[in-house]
Amino acid sequence: MKYVLSAPRLLLELLLALLLAWPALGLAQSVADSATEVATAADDNLAAADALAPQVTAELTPDEVAPGQSAMLRVTVLVPTYMPKPVEFAELDQPGLRVQLGQRSTTPMSRRIAGHTWSGISRSYQLTPLAPGQFEVGAQSLTITYQHPDSGEVVSQQVVTEAQTLTASVPAAAAGLSPYIAGRAVRLSQRITVTRGADAASSAEPLDSNGEEPIELAVGDSLEREVTLTIEGGSALLLPGLDEQAAAAGMEVYAASPQVSESDGGGKRVERLTYIAQAGGKVSLPAIALRWFDTDSQQVATAELEGLALDIEGSTLLPAAADTGGWRWYWLAALAALLLCGAAAWRWLWPLWQQRLQKLAERRAATGVDALAALRAAVKAQDYAAAVRAWRELEQRAPGLTAEQRAAMADALAALGRLRFASTSAGDAQGLWQALEHALPEPHWLASGARAPLLPPLNP
């Protein structure tokens, strides 16, 4: 017999099945709702924890500068309560980038966040590129210690800042400028001090030279040229040395260690050059010029310093040569003797003796014997200026000195000159004077090559 469900009966069974399944459906919905509530609570707790975590920001302004110009990197740290310990900041030093912290580089601060007052600190770094290129200021790992607002416990947390990139490039208008120097203003100035003779302490004489009238010196005197290079709106570390432009013919130059100082927005470089007069004549100290880039006008400008004219009194330094005129005095003496013998035989002895004494004195001067005696006296008295003058005279009068002997004397005098004019610390002055005394020529060295032969060789 075939079983057939009628429509009313089918509807009744469906209702009965729905009634039986309803508790299970309610249980499933309850489980789903519970899971949703747990997830929502977890998200809320995570968001609340993030909202109470320290906030760290880093800002670089500007991010592109020219070498020598500065950018500011500001790192800000905020916490919802307070920090019982200072923040441990990382070091930013790297080659080619100068990092400076001013007197008030780290300052306390506060800010309103979501209706609450947060406290913290802000640190500012002054970044100055010393050469063109890109400088990666990497992410900093900061150790922050603060009181947790919920538990009240003091906790420490590591926070990493965002990395920054600073680009240093030379402006197109300054392309080819070497060395590259940029600022709002660059000035050159100089101060002249003359020391006459050996006593530098009592004879130092500041001069206000206008460049029109020559400065009068004597052989052995010294002139100090203090050149000051000042920059505004740039770094004094980029200022170059000027001693290569300062050489002067006929003058020994000694350069002391430069002094570089920086100030807010600029700085200066001071160089001291000491010139020693070696020989008489007209001498010119060269002008000094420096090309730089004006950041205000965006053009290349030139700072200049006028040269100086010197008038040095003393013997002119000439190449050493043999005394080829000595033989003439013998012929003149012989001729005078013949004339005197013909006039009166009884009167010729005394004039001849006088001429002989005069010739001996002239030979002493011509062969450098007198100059050597003056040099020995100056060394014994430790008179540097007199020693320089006597040595220059001896160089011209004693062609018999070898190159080694001349070099030994020149080195000994140069060492004393450096100690006196260019050294920044005390040296063994007594030892240098003893070395100079040991380098003095012996009298018999002067006779070698002092005169040219009277007659040519028999077998040329």
Side-chain angles (χ1 to χ4, degrees):
M1 180 176 178
K2 188 176 181 181
Y3 182 77
V4 180
L5 290 177
S6 62
R9 186 178 178 84
L10 180 59
L11 181 58
L12 180 61
E13 290 183 1
L14 288 175
L15 290 174
L16 181 60
L18 183 58
L19 290 174
L20 293 176
W22 182 256
L25 291 175
L27 180 61
Q29 181 64 35
S30 177
V31 172
D33 292 342
S34 299
T36 302
E37 291 176 359
V38 170
T40 302
D43 292 340
D44 291 342
N45 292 336
L46 183 60
D50 292 339
L52 297 177
Q55 296 187 6
V56 178
T57 58
E59 181 181 8
L60 179 64
T61 308
D63 59 0
E64 184 172 354
V65 295
Q69 296 180 332
S70 299
M72 297 301 296
L73 175 63
R74 185 176 183 182
V75 179
T76 302
V77 179
L78 293 171
V79 296
T81 52
Y82 71 96
M83 291 181 289
K85 292 183 179 180
V87 179
E88 299 178 9
F89 288 94
E91 298 293 335
L92 301 182
D93 293 333
Q94 58 179 284
L97 180 65
R98 190 173 187 220
V99 181
Q100 291 177 287
L101 293 174
Q103 293 182 351
R104 295 184 56 83
S105 59
T106 305
T107 57
M109 62 174 303
S110 62
R111 184 177 299 172
R112 295 286 292 179
I113 300 177
H116 299 280
T117 300
W118 288 47
S119 62
I121 60 172
S122 176
R123 169 167 287 192
S124 297
Y125 299 87
Q126 182 178 351
L127 309 181
T128 306
L130 302 181
Q134 282 193 338
F135 300 89
E136 300 294 337
V137 183
Q140 303 181 57
S141 179
L142 308 181
T143 301
I144 303 173
T145 302
Y146 69 104
Q147 185 185 41
H148 197 278
D150 291 339
S151 63
E153 297 179 353
V154 175
V155 295
S156 295
Q157 185 173 346
Q158 296 286 332
V159 180
V160 179
T161 63
E162 184 180 356
Q164 306 288 333
T165 300
L166 177 61
T167 302
S169 57
V170 176
L177 185 62
S178 180
Y180 177 79
I181 304 168
R184 294 190 303 272
V186 174
R187 292 183 296 272
L188 275 169
S189 61
Q190 67 181 352
R191 185 176 64 179
I192 305 300
T193 303
V194 173
T195 301
R196 305 186 188 278
D199 192 355
S202 61
S203 62
E205 176 186 350
L207 296 181
D208 185 13
S209 176
N210 55 11
E212 297 178 358
E213 296 294 331
I215 299 175
E216 296 183 355
L217 299 175
V219 173
D221 290 349
S222 64
L223 181 147
E224 182 185 83
R225 190 181 191 185
E226 182 182 284
V227 180
T228 301
L229 181 56
T230 306
I231 186 171
E232 295 180 4
S235 175
L237 297 178
L238 298 181
L239 297 177
L242 304 174
D243 54 323
E244 294 184 357
Q245 302 185 43
M251 304 284 285
E252 290 287 345
V253 184
Y254 299 95
S257 300
Q259 298 178 353
V260 179
S261 59
E262 290 192 290
S263 58
D264 292 339
K268 64 181 180 179
R269 178 188 179 100
V270 180
E271 295 193 4
R272 290 180 175 85
L273 307 170
T274 301
Y275 297 82
I276 308 298
Q278 300 291 315
K282 305 290 185 182
V283 177
S284 295
L285 299 189
I288 297 177
L290 182 66
R291 299 175 70 240
W292 59 283
F293 181 69
D294 191 332
T295 55
D296 290 338
S297 64
Q298 294 293 302
Q299 293 180 349
V300 175
T302 302
E304 294 181 305
L305 197 61
E306 293 184 354
L308 298 173
L310 308 180
D311 190 356
I312 303 175
E313 179 184 357
S315 60
T316 303
L317 184 60
L318 297 175
D323 184 10
T324 58
W327 62 272
R328 297 190 184 94
W329 291 103
Y330 287 98
W331 288 106
L332 293 177
L335 180 60
L338 290 175
L339 293 175
L340 290 175
C341 287
W346 62 272
R347 297 182 58 186
W348 74 275
L349 291 176
W350 178 247
L352 183 61
W353 177 249
Q354 286 184 324
Q355 291 180 15
R356 180 63 177 172
L357 292 179
Q358 182 180 359
K359 289 180 63 65
L360 288 175
E362 292 174 352
R363 284 202 61 190
R364 285 176 59 88
T367 57
V369 176
D370 290 343
L372 178 58
L375 179 58
R376 288 184 177 276
V379 172
K380 185 176 181 180
Q382 296 188 359
D383 187 339
Y384 178 76
V388 171
R389 288 194 294 268
W391 169 241
R392 294 308 175 197
E393 184 71 20
L394 181 60
E395 276 192 306
Q396 300 179 64
R397 301 297 184 182
L401 294 177
T402 64
E404 291 79 5
Q405 296 164 354
R406 295 174 186 270
M409 283 295 301
D411 291 344
L413 285 172
L416 280 170
R418 285 191 296 270
L419 176 65
R420 182 179 180 186
F421 301 106
S423 179
T424 57
S425 60
D428 185 10
Q430 191 62 33
L432 294 178
W433 280 109
Q434 291 178 357
L436 178 59
E437 185 176 3
H438 292 158
L440 291 176
E442 296 294 336
H444 65 272
W445 295 354
L446 308 181
S448 177
R451 294 185 301 160
L454 298 178
L455 296 176
L458 295 178
N459 297 310

